[in-house]
Short mmCIF file of all heavy atoms in Angstrom, two decimals:
data_model
loop_
_atom_site.label_atom_id
_atom_site.label_comp_id
_atom_site.label_asym_id
_atom_site.label_seq_id
_atom_site.Cartn_x
_atom_site.Cartn_y
_atom_site.Cartn_z
N SER A 11 -23.14 -16.71 26.35
CA SER A 11 -21.85 -16.58 27.13
C SER A 11 -21.06 -15.36 26.59
O SER A 11 -19.84 -15.15 27.12
CB SER A 11 -20.98 -17.91 26.98
OG SER A 11 -20.71 -18.16 25.63
N THR A 12 -21.52 -14.62 25.62
CA THR A 12 -20.78 -13.48 25.15
C THR A 12 -20.58 -12.38 26.27
O THR A 12 -21.48 -12.07 26.81
CB THR A 12 -21.55 -12.88 23.92
OG1 THR A 12 -21.60 -13.79 22.89
CG2 THR A 12 -20.75 -11.67 23.49
N THR A 13 -19.40 -11.93 26.52
CA THR A 13 -19.08 -11.02 27.46
C THR A 13 -19.36 -9.59 26.98
O THR A 13 -19.50 -9.28 25.72
CB THR A 13 -17.66 -11.05 27.94
OG1 THR A 13 -16.77 -10.70 26.87
CG2 THR A 13 -17.39 -12.57 28.37
N ALA A 14 -19.41 -8.63 28.02
CA ALA A 14 -19.57 -7.16 27.51
C ALA A 14 -18.39 -6.80 26.64
O ALA A 14 -18.52 -5.99 25.79
CB ALA A 14 -19.64 -6.35 28.78
N GLU A 15 -17.13 -7.25 27.04
CA GLU A 15 -15.91 -6.85 26.20
C GLU A 15 -16.05 -7.36 24.74
O GLU A 15 -15.69 -6.67 23.83
CB GLU A 15 -14.62 -7.49 26.90
CG GLU A 15 -13.34 -7.16 26.20
CD GLU A 15 -13.12 -5.64 25.94
OE1 GLU A 15 -13.57 -4.79 26.69
OE2 GLU A 15 -12.26 -5.31 25.15
N GLU A 16 -16.45 -8.58 24.60
CA GLU A 16 -16.68 -9.10 23.22
C GLU A 16 -17.64 -8.37 22.48
O GLU A 16 -17.56 -8.02 21.25
CB GLU A 16 -16.95 -10.61 23.40
CG GLU A 16 -15.86 -11.45 23.94
CD GLU A 16 -16.20 -12.85 24.26
OE1 GLU A 16 -17.39 -13.09 24.49
OE2 GLU A 16 -15.40 -13.81 24.33
N ALA A 17 -18.89 -8.00 23.13
CA ALA A 17 -19.90 -7.33 22.55
C ALA A 17 -19.43 -5.87 22.11
O ALA A 17 -19.68 -5.36 21.06
CB ALA A 17 -21.17 -7.23 23.28
N ALA A 18 -18.60 -5.25 23.04
CA ALA A 18 -18.02 -3.97 22.71
C ALA A 18 -17.12 -3.98 21.63
O ALA A 18 -17.13 -2.93 20.77
CB ALA A 18 -17.52 -3.35 24.01
N ALA A 19 -16.37 -4.95 21.46
CA ALA A 19 -15.43 -5.04 20.38
C ALA A 19 -16.10 -5.01 18.99
O ALA A 19 -15.72 -4.54 18.00
CB ALA A 19 -14.45 -6.30 20.58
N ALA A 20 -17.18 -5.83 18.98
CA ALA A 20 -17.99 -5.93 17.69
C ALA A 20 -18.98 -4.87 17.55
O ALA A 20 -19.36 -4.57 16.36
CB ALA A 20 -18.75 -7.35 17.74
N MET A 21 -19.49 -4.25 18.67
CA MET A 21 -20.53 -3.17 18.71
C MET A 21 -21.78 -3.79 18.02
O MET A 21 -22.37 -2.98 17.23
CB MET A 21 -20.05 -1.88 18.07
CG MET A 21 -19.02 -1.18 19.04
SD MET A 21 -19.76 -0.86 20.60
CE MET A 21 -20.95 0.25 20.40
N GLN A 22 -22.00 -4.97 18.27
CA GLN A 22 -23.37 -5.59 17.70
C GLN A 22 -23.79 -6.73 18.59
O GLN A 22 -22.92 -7.29 19.27
CB GLN A 22 -23.21 -6.00 16.25
CG GLN A 22 -22.16 -6.93 15.95
CD GLN A 22 -22.15 -7.24 14.52
OE1 GLN A 22 -23.00 -7.00 13.79
NE2 GLN A 22 -20.99 -7.90 14.05
N GLY A 23 -25.08 -6.93 18.59
CA GLY A 23 -25.54 -8.03 19.41
C GLY A 23 -27.07 -7.86 19.78
O GLY A 23 -27.74 -7.11 18.96
N VAL A 24 -27.51 -8.37 20.90
CA VAL A 24 -28.92 -8.21 21.21
C VAL A 24 -29.03 -7.51 22.65
O VAL A 24 -28.08 -7.06 23.09
CB VAL A 24 -29.61 -9.62 21.30
CG1 VAL A 24 -29.63 -10.22 19.85
CG2 VAL A 24 -28.84 -10.58 22.24
N CYS A 25 -30.22 -7.66 23.14
CA CYS A 25 -30.47 -6.80 24.36
C CYS A 25 -29.59 -7.18 25.48
O CYS A 25 -29.19 -6.34 26.30
CB CYS A 25 -32.06 -6.87 24.76
SG CYS A 25 -32.67 -8.53 25.01
N GLN A 26 -29.30 -8.53 25.65
CA GLN A 26 -28.45 -8.93 26.70
C GLN A 26 -27.10 -8.34 26.53
O GLN A 26 -26.46 -7.86 27.49
CB GLN A 26 -28.35 -10.53 26.62
CG GLN A 26 -27.16 -11.02 27.61
CD GLN A 26 -27.19 -12.49 27.70
OE1 GLN A 26 -28.08 -13.15 28.03
NE2 GLN A 26 -25.98 -13.01 27.47
N ASP A 27 -26.53 -8.24 25.37
CA ASP A 27 -25.22 -7.73 25.08
C ASP A 27 -25.19 -6.21 25.36
O ASP A 27 -24.23 -5.73 25.94
CB ASP A 27 -24.78 -7.94 23.66
CG ASP A 27 -24.78 -9.45 23.20
OD1 ASP A 27 -24.13 -10.28 23.93
OD2 ASP A 27 -25.58 -9.85 22.32
N GLU A 28 -26.08 -5.50 24.89
CA GLU A 28 -26.29 -4.05 25.16
C GLU A 28 -26.34 -3.82 26.62
O GLU A 28 -25.68 -2.83 27.16
CB GLU A 28 -27.38 -3.35 24.49
CG GLU A 28 -27.08 -3.17 22.99
CD GLU A 28 -27.94 -2.08 22.35
OE1 GLU A 28 -27.78 -0.89 22.65
OE2 GLU A 28 -28.88 -2.41 21.51
N SER A 29 -27.02 -4.49 27.31
CA SER A 29 -27.27 -4.38 28.78
C SER A 29 -25.89 -4.51 29.49
O SER A 29 -25.54 -3.89 30.37
CB SER A 29 -28.34 -5.26 29.28
OG SER A 29 -29.64 -4.89 28.75
N HIS A 30 -25.21 -5.67 29.09
CA HIS A 30 -23.79 -5.94 29.59
C HIS A 30 -22.89 -4.87 29.43
O HIS A 30 -22.09 -4.50 30.26
CB HIS A 30 -23.37 -7.28 29.12
CG HIS A 30 -24.01 -8.51 29.91
ND1 HIS A 30 -23.99 -9.70 29.29
CD2 HIS A 30 -24.57 -8.52 31.06
CE1 HIS A 30 -24.59 -10.61 30.12
NE2 HIS A 30 -24.92 -9.96 31.11
N VAL A 31 -22.85 -4.28 28.26
CA VAL A 31 -22.02 -3.12 27.86
C VAL A 31 -22.28 -1.88 28.85
O VAL A 31 -21.41 -1.43 29.40
CB VAL A 31 -22.07 -2.82 26.41
CG1 VAL A 31 -21.36 -1.48 26.11
CG2 VAL A 31 -21.47 -3.94 25.48
N MET A 32 -23.62 -1.74 28.92
CA MET A 32 -24.07 -0.56 29.72
C MET A 32 -23.67 -0.83 31.27
O MET A 32 -23.08 0.13 31.89
CB MET A 32 -25.61 -0.34 29.68
CG MET A 32 -26.00 0.83 30.46
SD MET A 32 -27.77 1.23 30.03
CE MET A 32 -27.66 3.06 30.10
N LEU A 33 -23.87 -2.05 31.72
CA LEU A 33 -23.49 -2.34 33.12
C LEU A 33 -21.89 -2.06 33.28
O LEU A 33 -21.45 -1.49 34.26
CB LEU A 33 -23.82 -3.81 33.45
CG LEU A 33 -25.21 -4.23 33.63
CD1 LEU A 33 -25.26 -5.65 33.72
CD2 LEU A 33 -25.87 -3.52 34.72
N SER A 34 -21.03 -2.58 32.42
CA SER A 34 -19.61 -2.40 32.52
C SER A 34 -19.30 -0.94 32.51
O SER A 34 -18.47 -0.51 33.39
CB SER A 34 -18.99 -3.16 31.37
OG SER A 34 -17.61 -3.01 31.49
N LEU A 35 -19.86 -0.08 31.64
CA LEU A 35 -19.56 1.35 31.57
C LEU A 35 -19.90 2.06 32.82
O LEU A 35 -19.21 2.89 33.35
CB LEU A 35 -20.09 1.94 30.28
CG LEU A 35 -19.55 1.53 29.00
CD1 LEU A 35 -20.31 1.97 27.88
CD2 LEU A 35 -18.00 1.96 28.85
N LEU A 36 -21.13 1.69 33.45
CA LEU A 36 -21.59 2.48 34.57
C LEU A 36 -20.67 2.01 35.80
O LEU A 36 -20.34 2.94 36.56
CB LEU A 36 -23.07 1.98 34.85
CG LEU A 36 -24.09 2.51 33.87
CD1 LEU A 36 -25.51 1.98 34.25
CD2 LEU A 36 -24.06 4.04 33.68
N ARG A 37 -20.34 0.78 35.88
CA ARG A 37 -19.56 0.28 36.98
C ARG A 37 -18.00 0.85 36.94
O ARG A 37 -17.47 1.05 37.99
CB ARG A 37 -19.48 -1.27 37.03
CG ARG A 37 -20.84 -1.87 37.51
CD ARG A 37 -20.89 -3.33 37.24
NE ARG A 37 -22.21 -3.79 37.73
CZ ARG A 37 -22.68 -5.03 37.39
NH1 ARG A 37 -21.90 -5.95 36.78
NH2 ARG A 37 -23.89 -5.46 37.78
N MET A 38 -17.61 1.24 35.67
CA MET A 38 -16.28 1.76 35.58
C MET A 38 -16.38 3.20 36.29
O MET A 38 -15.30 3.74 36.68
CB MET A 38 -15.94 1.96 34.05
CG MET A 38 -15.61 0.52 33.46
SD MET A 38 -15.47 0.70 31.64
CE MET A 38 -13.90 1.49 31.54
N HIS A 39 -17.50 3.74 36.47
CA HIS A 39 -17.68 5.09 37.12
C HIS A 39 -18.16 4.93 38.59
O HIS A 39 -18.66 5.91 39.12
CB HIS A 39 -18.50 5.95 36.28
CG HIS A 39 -17.94 6.44 35.00
ND1 HIS A 39 -17.32 7.62 34.85
CD2 HIS A 39 -17.93 5.79 33.69
CE1 HIS A 39 -16.79 7.70 33.63
NE2 HIS A 39 -17.09 6.68 32.98
N GLY A 40 -18.23 3.72 39.06
CA GLY A 40 -18.61 3.44 40.45
C GLY A 40 -20.16 3.50 40.62
O GLY A 40 -20.57 3.74 41.77
N ILE A 41 -20.95 3.47 39.54
CA ILE A 41 -22.33 3.60 39.72
C ILE A 41 -23.03 2.12 39.91
O ILE A 41 -22.79 1.34 39.09
CB ILE A 41 -22.96 4.17 38.42
CG1 ILE A 41 -22.45 5.64 38.24
CG2 ILE A 41 -24.50 4.18 38.45
CD1 ILE A 41 -22.81 6.25 36.87
N PRO A 42 -23.66 1.91 41.01
CA PRO A 42 -24.29 0.68 41.28
C PRO A 42 -25.43 0.35 40.14
O PRO A 42 -26.21 1.32 39.92
CB PRO A 42 -24.94 0.71 42.60
CG PRO A 42 -24.22 2.02 43.25
CD PRO A 42 -23.97 2.95 42.12
N CYS A 43 -25.45 -0.75 39.59
CA CYS A 43 -26.38 -1.03 38.54
C CYS A 43 -26.65 -2.55 38.49
O CYS A 43 -25.78 -3.37 38.93
CB CYS A 43 -25.91 -0.51 37.17
SG CYS A 43 -24.29 -1.03 36.72
#
């Protein structure tokens, strides 16, 4: 249940967390992902 924001604040986690962080950053630029 860890969110992208929580993973970004800690900057650590596993593949699910890194993928969620990447999704969030890409969507902030309007990139479908």
